Amino acid sequence: MEMEKNVRPESFERITTFEQANAFIEEEVAKVRAQVGDKKVLLALSGGVDSSVVAALLIKAIGKQLVCVHVNHGLMRKNESENVIEIFGKELDANLVYVDATDRFLDLLAGVSDPESKRKIIGKEFIEVFADEARKQEGISFLAQGTIYPDILESIKQAEGKKAVKSHHNVGGLPEDLQFDLVEPIKLLYKDEVRVVGEALGLPHAMVYRQPFPGPGLGVRCLGAITRDRLHALREADAILREEFDHCGLAGKVWQYFVIIPDIKSVGVKDDGRYEGWPAIIRAVNTKDAMTASIEEIPYEILHKITARITSEVEGINRVLYDLTPKPTGTIEWE
Ligand code: XMP
């Protein structure tokens, strides 16, 4: 198999079985060992499918020569960083550096309401926090990235002058003093193949089949200027939505589902008194490639249950709304 160039050769068979995945893993393990030798490799481990699969593959290939850095920007979903620590730090015994940078991010974002400015701040700060950690590490020679084939196709499109709708966040653009050689073992794979490889590597099903989560995290779902109290409400409401989707079997059926909280309050009533609160907006979409998306028809019974739980369990939320807008005209995220 010719894997060196950024073009997937016609002869590269689609990976659909464990047998094919294992053959791929064996080949990539040998390649990574040959490329890296006894040097050290750094990886930004977000806990997303792609970086997790790269981490598991590299742990298999080079063990503790891989240094995983997990940056918690304070915009993760409930228990997400804890899961990364549990799986990679404990179960896979990885060389894992955990950085809680919540204050750095939230202080910088205070008062910033423009969506693109928020994305830029989060992306830039992410690189800075990661670079600070990289400088603390001795003898790093390589940077591993969870680049996959659609990323390569997208950058080709952009190089051809087509406009991106939103600036997407990744680890590109490290400072000059940190220009490492790249290790990108899954760069010719499509997402479905990455998942098969992930399961063959022994990663938990829930991690490998995790719904997409944007790099700027809950930052693009806590609309307008982020405040800690609204962010907390968003995280709790989102956890309830995910829990209920798990219970009723929708989790495996719906491509992406999450909560958004706008920066508005309405008048409500609770315990016979006036109760001003934010609305929680539910979005649940199905799509093949995220370019267009349709709305999942959630049974009313489930919507009622989610509404009851969110309004009673989450401080500060007094209404629940359901977004019925397909893409277009709505993008999947609200910012
Ligand atoms: P939109 O909102 O553009 O989203 O319809 C399409 C898909 O991309 C995800 N998304 C991101 N993913 N970094 C990412 O890795 C980002 O900055 C980002 N912004 C949006 C979104 O969740 C949806 O699945």
Side-chain angles (χ1 to χ4, degrees), residues 300-317:
Y300 266 102
E301 187 191 326
I302 295 166
L303 287 172
H304 284 310
K305 179 150 187 229
I306 293 168
T307 303
R309 281 199 61 195
I310 292 179
T311 50
S312 67
E313 293 174 35
V314 185
E315 179 68 32
I317 296 183

Side-chain angles (χ1 to χ4, degrees), residues 273-301:
R274 184 182 169 100
Y275 176 41
E276 288 184 16
W278 305 291
I281 301 166
I282 296 173
R283 188 135 174 80
V285 298
N286 278 317
T287 173
K288 279 210 164 63
D289 55 8
M291 301 302 285
T292 61
S294 60
I295 298 308
E296 177 64 26
E297 294 196 7
I298 304 178
Y300 266 102
E301 187 191 326

Side-chain angles (χ1 to χ4, degrees), residues 119 166-169 212-216 255-256 290 327 331-333:
R119 277 176 175 270
K166 292 174 191 177
S167 55
H168 273 215
H169 156 124
F213 186 59
W255 197 78
Q256 197 175 12
K327 174 180 180 176
T331 49
I332 294 175
E333 305 289 346

